[in-house]
Amino acid sequence: MTLKEQLQHKIDNKTKPLGSLGYLEKIALQIGLIQNTLTPQIENPYMLVFAGDHGLADEGVSPFPKAVTAQMVPNFLNGGAAINVFCRQNGIKLKVVDAGVDYTFPSHDMLIAAKVKNGTNNILHGPAMTAEECITAISKGKEIIEKIHSEGSNVVGFGEMGIGNTSSASLIMSKICKITIEECVGRGTGHNDLGLERKIEILRLASIKHKKVNGPLNILATLGGLEIAMITGAMLRASELGMVLLIDGFIITSALLVAHQMNNEILQNCIFCHQSGEQGHKLMMEYFGAKPILNLEMRLGEGTGAAVALPLIRSSVNFLNEMASFGEAGVSTRE
Amino acid sequence: MTLKEQLQHKIDNKTKPLGSLGYLEKIALQIGLIQNTLTPQIENPYMLVFAGDHGLADEGVSPFPKAVTAQMVPNFLNGGAAINVFCRQNGIKLKVVDAGVDYTFPSHDMLIAAKVKNGTNNILHGPAMTAEECITAISKGKEIIEKIHSEGSNVVGFGEMGIGNTSSASLIMSKICKITIEECVGRGTGHNDLGLERKIEILRLASIKHKKVNGPLNILATLGGLEIAMITGAMLRASELGMVLLIDGFIITSALLVAHQMNNEILQNCIFCHQSGEQGHKLMMEYFGAKPILNLEMRLGEGTGAAVALPLIRSSVNFLNEMASFGEAGVSTRE
């Protein structure tokens, strides 16, 4: 029997009707295959929240001022953000990565200083970053993963913070999925109708300006963010190392779009955790043929959808390892 | 401000975009209202799995033999069932209630002996139980809740085990929701087409035999199960005591249909945890206007959907209690 068949046989012989744990069975099978074992484990899970500023924020694409990116970092470090609460609850180690915030932070245990530069350029006027800066961001993302992997982590979730980054994500998505800007753009952190119209208008201009950009690296450098580029690198390395990748949120999934262009085997390692309330995210899930575990109408970012989904992923692994089989329990099977 | 307004104000001032925690915000509000406080807590959560046998199982309404009800009880007591795994993982105390299994169990720490009789009568020939037996089952359910409430529990989930009990649930649902048997009946623990046809045929006969039955108590006594009656009593008392009720699964929800007929305020205390894969459950959710937290295509029973949902309910309470407000964190609000 192949490992896949052995895993399915183990799942089917637990004391429950066939298939009756639904998604949890699919996740158990997937993690077994990722870890190449009949007894998969969730070990030392990490959440990495990558923060970066966006030059385009100056154009009013977000209802929040750009300064909020830098202001939220101390909120993370002080434990007061949503992602802190959910990581504490679910035994996830949280690190905040300064990928390119327009502010100089004092050092802190929870902060990984990986700044490439103080925010991207305004993409209405030119590319967000140079190819070299983009490659640097990708490399730093890979190094961060190597560090946590060497500490025994085999599961990593990704979060982000960056005022204006839903704009970058929308542009990347439009380019890679070949979907119009209008369909990709959502209300982000909470636009009203007028704000949304303005955001679409600006993104249309940016899209026209960069319409000839092609290939994942150029798309990422031109339209992306420093945090998005670093996440892309982190995802690529995490999947190479056989880790489980927790995918959640519109911006994170835009990084996955790029990473997937670079290595399409990455999807085998991805667990889609939450269907975002952001409209474009639904189209991204269709693009990947993915059906996320949760649909709680969350649209906060920070990796919160992944952090609250982890207990369900643990449940998948736990039933596979801990439930009795019909034979062990002396329970009759179907007649 | 009313408590509801105060809770909403507290939720809206957390460092996140307005409404961006979706369902978690609704659940936080609901639990705050149930517990009449701005700082709700999940304390000493319990899962009660009620087991009972069904005379109708002799007619082949389940693909599993009737003996499985009694065989699964030791599996629960030995910790090998799905519900054990999920309760252990999520810090939920599990008790198995013998409401009416056709077997005499030795005493066990985890087992609550509350047997009314050794299974219901075959409802093709007469009522499942007498009105007196039904009232006894309801009372015992209330007593069990009083006991766990006195131990400081303020959250209770309900599970069940009983070969044939999806048939009882379908009949109760058909009667209370005024929906045809065909729409209420599903594959239960895993019928094939032929088995499903036979099940529908038998339930049609039972439905015709008892077509004049009316009123929640009579419906429960005539068509229900001992475990369903005991759950009904437990739900009624738990809501009177201001506990949070975790609702999950087709059979548990059939008990709620009856309890709701007896006291329609009960819904205020109910959190719908999982949309079952069982087709009738969707119609039940429509009847209550409920949208469950999870939709994982599970259809195992035992309260497993509630047990795996508890971490998300904890997340709701935790964000309300632990997240910083914009003011506390010094983060700018929308422009």
Side-chain angles (χ1 to χ4, degrees):
Chain A
M1 281 201 288
T2 63
L3 176 64
K4 189 173 178 180
E5 286 164 341
Q6 289 177 310
L7 279 161
Q8 194 60 55
H9 183 262
K10 188 174 175 186
I11 291 168
D12 290 346
N13 275 278
K14 298 295 187 183
T15 45
K16 60 177 184 52
L18 207 65
S20 63
L21 282 174
Y23 275 38
L24 300 188
E25 299 192 12
K26 290 176 195 160
I27 296 166
L29 179 66
Q30 184 185 358
I31 301 181
L33 290 172
I34 293 170
Q35 299 185 357
N36 195 32
T37 175
L38 289 172
T39 53
Q41 305 291 339
I42 302 295
E43 279 163 8
N44 207 5
Y46 262 88
M47 174 62 63
L48 302 173
V49 177
F50 296 80
D53 267 311
H54 290 254
L56 194 67
D58 294 337
E59 305 288 339
V61 288
S62 170
F64 283 88
K66 186 176 157 182
V68 167
T69 309
Q71 289 169 352
M72 278 299 289
V73 171
N75 194 28
F76 292 132
L77 302 180
N78 293 331
I83 191 63
N84 297 98
V85 174
F86 302 146
C87 285
R88 271 199 300 272
Q89 177 190 329
N90 293 329
I92 303 169
K93 279 192 192 150
L94 173 63
K95 295 279 181 187
V96 181
V97 181
D98 175 8
V101 182
D102 188 12
Y103 187 84
T104 304
F105 300 103
S107 68
H108 188 286
D109 270 3
M110 210 196 284
L111 183 68
I112 298 176
K115 199 195 297 288
V116 178
K117 63 174 179 173
N118 286 340
T120 56
N121 307 324
N122 183 335
I123 58 176
L124 281 191
H125 308 313
M129 62 193 103
T130 64
E132 197 182 11
E133 287 163 347
C134 188
I135 290 166
T136 302
I138 290 173
S139 300
K140 290 194 177 201
K142 291 185 178 187
E143 284 165 23
I144 292 166
I145 289 293
E146 283 164 11
K147 177 95 178 6
I148 67 166
H149 181 261
S150 74
E151 291 170 16
S153 173
N154 65 7
V155 177
V156 60
F158 303 93
E160 45 57 47
M161 177 66 216
I163 297 300
N165 64 8
T166 60
S167 292
S168 270
S170 299
L171 289 163
I172 289 170
M173 173 190 177
S174 176
K175 206 81 185 175
I176 290 179
C177 304
K178 301 185 192 351
I179 294 176
T180 64
I181 280 292
E182 289 77 0
E183 288 178 275
C184 298
V185 173
R187 290 178 190 272
T189 49
H191 271 301
N192 56 21
D193 287 349
L194 199 68
L196 184 62
E197 226 170 273
R198 181 174 166 75
K199 182 174 174 185
I200 290 174
E201 202 54 48
I202 291 165
L203 296 198
R204 248 197 233 116
L205 289 174
S207 176
I208 292 165
K209 178 165 179 69
H210 301 292
K211 68 169 182 283
K212 290 191 179 154
V213 172
N214 225 318
L217 186 68
N218 283 334
I219 291 171
L220 187 59
T222 308
L223 305 171
L226 296 155
E227 80 283 34
I228 296 176
M230 210 169 284
I231 294 164
T232 303
M235 286 177 169
L236 287 165
R237 191 67 186 126
S239 83
E240 284 168 9
L241 291 170
M243 296 175 75
V244 173
L245 280 64
L246 307 182
I247 308 297
D248 161 58
F250 186 60
I251 293 103
I252 298 303
T253 312
S254 78
L256 182 62
L257 284 171
V258 179
H260 177 248
Q261 293 273 306
M262 294 172 170
N263 176 6
N264 63 23
E265 289 185 1
I266 198 171
L267 289 188
Q268 293 166 10
N269 293 58
C270 294
I271 296 181
F272 292 91
C273 291
H274 182 262
Q275 171 70 63
S276 165
E278 190 79 358
Q279 71 168 31
H281 196 251
K282 201 177 161 206
L283 298 172
M284 286 174 165
M285 291 302 101
E286 284 173 16
Y287 179 86
F288 285 128
K291 224 185 137 191
I293 302 174
L294 295 173
N295 185 349
L296 299 176
E297 296 175 10
M298 288 163 60
R299 48 178 177 75
L300 185 149
E302 299 178 7
T304 47
V308 299
L310 188 66
L312 294 163
I313 296 166
R314 283 204 176 97
S315 292
S316 301
V317 166
N318 289 347
F319 97 75
L320 187 62
N321 291 324
E322 299 177 25
M323 265 182 85
S325 67
F326 282 106
E328 287 162 356
V331 173
S332 309
T333 54
R334 300 155 58 95
E335 285 177 330
Chain B
M1 282 202 287
T2 63
L3 176 64
K4 188 174 179 179
E5 287 164 343
Q6 289 177 309
L7 279 162
Q8 194 60 54
H9 184 260
K10 187 173 175 187
I11 291 167
D12 290 346
N13 276 279
K14 297 295 184 181
T15 45
K16 61 176 182 55
L18 208 63
S20 63
L21 281 175
Y23 275 37
L24 299 188
E25 299 192 11
K26 289 176 197 161
I27 295 167
L29 179 65
Q30 184 185 359
I31 300 182
L33 291 173
I34 292 170
Q35 299 185 357
N36 195 32
T37 174
L38 289 171
T39 54
Q41 305 291 338
I42 303 294
E43 278 162 9
N44 206 6
Y46 263 88
M47 173 62 64
L48 302 173
V49 177
F50 296 79
D53 267 311
H54 289 254
L56 195 67
D58 295 337
E59 306 288 338
V61 288
S62 170
F64 283 87
K66 186 175 158 184
V68 167
T69 309
Q71 290 169 351
M72 279 298 290
V73 171
N75 194 29
F76 292 132
L77 302 180
N78 292 333
I83 190 63
N84 296 100
V85 175
F86 302 146
C87 284
R88 271 199 299 272
Q89 176 190 329
N90 293 330
I92 304 169
K93 280 194 192 146
L94 174 62
K95 294 280 180 185
V96 181
V97 182
D98 175 8
V101 182
D102 188 12
Y103 187 85
T104 304
F105 300 103
S107 68
H108 188 287
D109 269 3
M110 210 195 283
L111 183 68
I112 298 177
K115 198 194 298 287
V116 178
K117 63 174 177 173
N118 285 342
T120 56
N121 307 324
N122 183 334
I123 59 175
L124 280 191
H125 307 313
M129 62 195 103
T130 64
E132 197 181 12
E133 286 163 347
C134 188
I135 290 167
T136 301
I138 291 173
S139 299
K140 290 193 177 202
K142 292 186 178 185
E143 283 166 23
I144 292 166
I145 289 294
E146 282 164 10
K147 177 95 176 8
I148 67 167
H149 182 260
S150 73
E151 290 169 17
S153 171
N154 65 7
V155 177
V156 60
F158 303 93
E160 45 58 44
M161 176 66 215
I163 297 300
N165 65 9
T166 60
S167 291
S168 269
S170 299
L171 288 164
I172 289 170
M173 174 191 178
S174 177
K175 205 82 187 176
I176 290 179
C177 303
K178 302 187 193 347
I179 295 176
T180 64
I181 281 292
E182 288 77 1
E183 288 178 276
C184 298
V185 173
R187 288 179 192 271
T189 49
H191 271 300
N192 55 22
D193 287 349
L194 198 69
L196 184 62
E197 226 169 274
R198 181 173 166 75
K199 183 174 172 184
I200 290 175
E201 202 54 47
I202 291 165
L203 296 197
R204 246 196 236 118
L205 288 175
S207 175
I208 292 166
K209 178 165 181 68
H210 300 293
K211 69 169 182 282
K212 289 191 178 153
V213 171
N214 226 318
L217 186 68
N218 283 334
I219 291 171
L220 188 59
T222 308
L223 305 171
L226 295 155
E227 81 282 35
I228 297 176
M230 210 171 283
I231 294 164
T232 303
M235 286 176 168
L236 287 166
R237 190 67 185 128
S239 84
E240 284 168 8
L241 291 170
M243 297 175 76
V244 173
L245 280 61
L246 307 181
I247 308 297
D248 160 56
F250 187 59
I251 293 103
I252 298 303
T253 313
S254 78
L256 182 63
L257 283 171
V258 178
H260 177 250
Q261 293 273 307
M262 293 173 171
N263 177 6
N264 63 22
E265 289 186 0
I266 198 170
L267 289 188
Q268 294 167 10
N269 292 58
C270 294
I271 297 182
F272 292 90
C273 291
H274 181 263
Q275 172 70 63
S276 165
E278 189 79 357
Q279 70 167 32
H281 196 250
K282 202 176 160 206
L283 298 173
M284 286 174 166
M285 291 302 100
E286 284 174 15
Y287 178 87
F288 284 127
K291 224 184 137 192
I293 302 173
L294 296 173
N295 184 351
L296 299 176
E297 296 176 10
M298 288 163 59
R299 47 177 178 75
L300 186 149
E302 300 178 5
T304 47
V308 299
L310 187 67
L312 294 163
I313 296 167
R314 282 204 178 95
S315 291
S316 301
V317 166
N318 289 347
F319 97 76
L320 187 63
N321 290 325
E322 298 177 24
M323 266 182 83
S325 68
F326 282 106
E328 287 161 356
V331 173
S332 308
T333 53
R334 302 154 58 96
E335 283 177 328

